[in-house]
Amino acid sequence: MAFPGQLCGKNLHSMKALKLYFAGQYLVYRLQTSQFLYEQLSNPYTKLYFTFLNYVIPLVTKLNIIFQAKSPSVHKFHSHCVSAYKALLSCFVNPTVVQSHATVTDPSDPANHLPLAQLYLGVEAAMMLATDEYKALDKEALAECFRRCKQFYTELCCQLKKRLPLDNTVVKELKFLDPQTVVSGSIRSIADVASRFPNVVPPENLQSVDQEWREFMYDEEISTLADRCSTVPTEEFWGKVPTDKYPNLAAFAKAMLTIPVSNADCERAFSQVNLIKTNQRNRFSTEGVASLLFVKDGVKNMAESCATFEPSDEMLSNFNKDIYHNVEAVYGEEADGEDSEEVDAMAMHAD
């Protein structure tokens, strides 16, 4: 599947071919639409705008990939969002505003905008504007193209500001999960963020969690562990934290790492359920579907496949003819007719 940014790039690379195609369509069939498209593709401002889109849309795609992350990333989510948002703001907003109070600034306020000539449209667009062809263009028409680019930036940043947790203090404070933040000693207390999750940390355990954190920061063993785990996923670091020494903190951190940054994982699970529970297998019980999902995920995490997975002796001992007679567990209800005959046939085959 091609991303929008890739489509813009393909349009730019194929612009000459597209112009020839639509010119031919107009000459042969006299289609007004073909003539209009040919004129638009021949317009240098159209090429400039496509070049601008080819720069900015991949930035949005990169941000979207963060939302699609399969591994725990909630501890990095706030910093990723803020840096991406600031990078886009800096293309059309005064740098002083971006540095001082970017997350509270109204992107649509013209008072904060740069002059049109100072908009950043990407390197390729800047190189195009430096050519004699674009220097000779009508200044007012060029300014209108710049206004369209600024309008795109403005609307994009307004929408991002509505949707991203730029000022969410809870998401921001979850950076304590990062091993490097742990050893830096920059966060003296996690009581505030822990108090936001009373179902995970009851009020009576709040002091215990915070005290464990204060000891955790200065533990030399933890510092060594953080150095060793600097290149591995964060969940592996917390998985190696001694639970006998930091039981409350370890449990809290692991619970926080399960927080999804979007509904992408849920959508993936729904897609897998649809692949498993088809019209031909519509009598699968919830327990059966959940078991298959669990097995599939486990095999994948083990870097195995069905062809290379070696079942244990215990698994093999449980796989006998009796499992085929447990119809209710498999289908969710008592089998009848053809289902019973099919189950009996499988049981005979198992014998």
Side-chain angles (χ1 to χ4, degrees):
M1 181 181 70
F3 291 105
Q6 294 173 322
L7 293 177
C8 288
K10 289 180 179 179
N11 285 339
L12 286 170
H13 292 132
S14 307
M15 191 161 284
K16 290 183 179 179
L18 289 171
K19 286 167 62 177
L20 289 173
Y21 171 77
F22 288 116
Q25 290 292 300
Y26 174 71
L27 292 174
V28 174
Y29 301 107
R30 295 295 174 180
L31 297 175
Q32 296 299 317
T33 304
S34 298
Q35 181 185 15
F36 172 78
L37 290 172
Y38 173 79
E39 291 173 352
Q40 291 300 312
L41 290 171
S42 302
N43 189 330
Y45 305 109
T46 301
K47 185 177 181 181
L48 178 62
Y49 192 70
F50 268 118
T51 303
F52 157 69
L53 292 179
N54 193 43
Y55 158 69
V56 70
I57 292 180
L59 299 180
V60 183
T61 302
K62 184 178 178 180
L63 183 60
N64 185 50
I65 291 174
I66 298 173
F67 282 87
Q68 304 295 327
K70 294 182 179 180
S71 59
S73 58
V74 67
H75 55 294
K76 299 178 181 178
F77 187 59
H78 183 267
S79 62
H80 282 321
C81 290
V82 171
S83 60
Y85 181 69
K86 283 186 175 182
L88 286 168
L89 272 184
S90 66
C91 295
F92 71 105
V93 172
N94 190 301
T96 305
V97 176
V98 176
Q99 290 294 337
S100 57
H101 42 273
T103 59
V104 296
T105 299
D106 181 7
S108 62
D109 186 357
N112 298 321
H113 293 175
L114 292 169
L116 289 178
Q118 295 182 23
L119 295 185
Y120 183 75
L121 308 181
V123 173
E124 289 189 35
M127 293 175 65
M128 288 173 59
L129 291 168
T131 61
D132 293 336
E133 177 188 359
Y134 279 86
K135 286 181 179 179
L137 293 178
D138 180 67
K139 300 300 181 184
E140 183 55 38
L142 190 60
E144 179 59 29
C145 183
F146 270 74
R147 276 190 284 270
R148 288 176 59 197
C149 295
K150 187 175 79 167
Q151 184 180 7
F152 185 95
Y153 272 137
T154 303
E155 183 61 25
L156 173 61
C157 287
C158 285
Q159 294 300 324
L160 289 177
K161 192 172 186 295
K162 288 180 183 178
R163 290 165 170 77
L164 297 179
L166 302 175
D167 295 319
N168 190 309
T169 55
V170 176
V171 177
K172 182 178 180 180
E173 289 174 355
L174 288 176
K175 66 180 180 181
F176 83 88
L177 295 166
D178 192 326
Q180 300 309 311
T181 302
V182 172
V183 297
S184 69
S186 58
I187 300 178
R188 299 181 59 192
S189 172
I190 60 171
D192 183 53
V193 65
S195 65
R196 308 292 185 94
F197 300 92
N199 291 335
V200 179
V201 182
E204 60 271 19
N205 290 350
L206 195 58
Q207 181 61 65
S208 299
V209 170
D210 203 44
Q211 185 58 37
E212 287 181 16
W213 169 257
R214 295 179 66 82
E215 296 173 7
F216 190 73
M217 288 189 296
Y218 304 107
D219 190 325
E220 292 185 1
E221 292 182 7
I222 298 301
S223 179
T224 303
L225 177 62
D227 290 338
R228 289 205 311 265
C229 295
S230 59
T231 58
V232 301
T234 302
E235 61 269 25
E236 288 191 25
F237 165 77
W238 285 101
K240 295 178 180 178
V241 170
T243 55
D244 56 336
K245 194 174 183 180
Y246 303 104
N248 298 294
L249 177 61
F252 174 57
K254 291 173 184 177
M256 294 301 97
L257 286 171
T258 64
I259 298 176
V261 298
S262 71
N263 63 347
D265 276 334
C266 298
E267 296 294 341
R268 291 190 190 102
F270 291 146
S271 297
Q272 292 299 319
V273 170
N274 290 334
L275 292 174
I276 293 172
K277 195 166 184 176
T278 62
N279 290 334
Q280 288 74 32
R281 308 168 79 184
N282 61 4
R283 298 174 71 180
F284 254 128
S285 66
T286 302
E287 181 183 357
V289 174
S291 298
L292 286 174
L293 288 172
F294 181 79
V295 169
K296 181 176 181 179
D297 196 55
V299 170
K300 181 176 64 176
N301 290 336
M302 293 168 60
E304 295 278 359
S305 69
C306 294
T308 60
F309 178 73
E310 292 288 341
S312 65
D313 292 338
E314 183 181 359
M315 291 178 183
L316 293 174
S317 66
N318 291 330
F319 190 82
N320 53 53
K321 66 179 182 179
D322 293 333
I323 66 173
Y324 294 111
H325 291 293
N326 191 9
V327 179
E328 185 174 352
V330 177
Y331 290 100
E333 58 182 85
E334 186 177 355
D336 55 9
E338 295 180 0
D339 288 333
S340 297
E341 294 176 3
E342 182 181 351
V343 170
D344 290 338
M346 289 190 292
M348 291 176 62
H349 183 70
D351 289 337

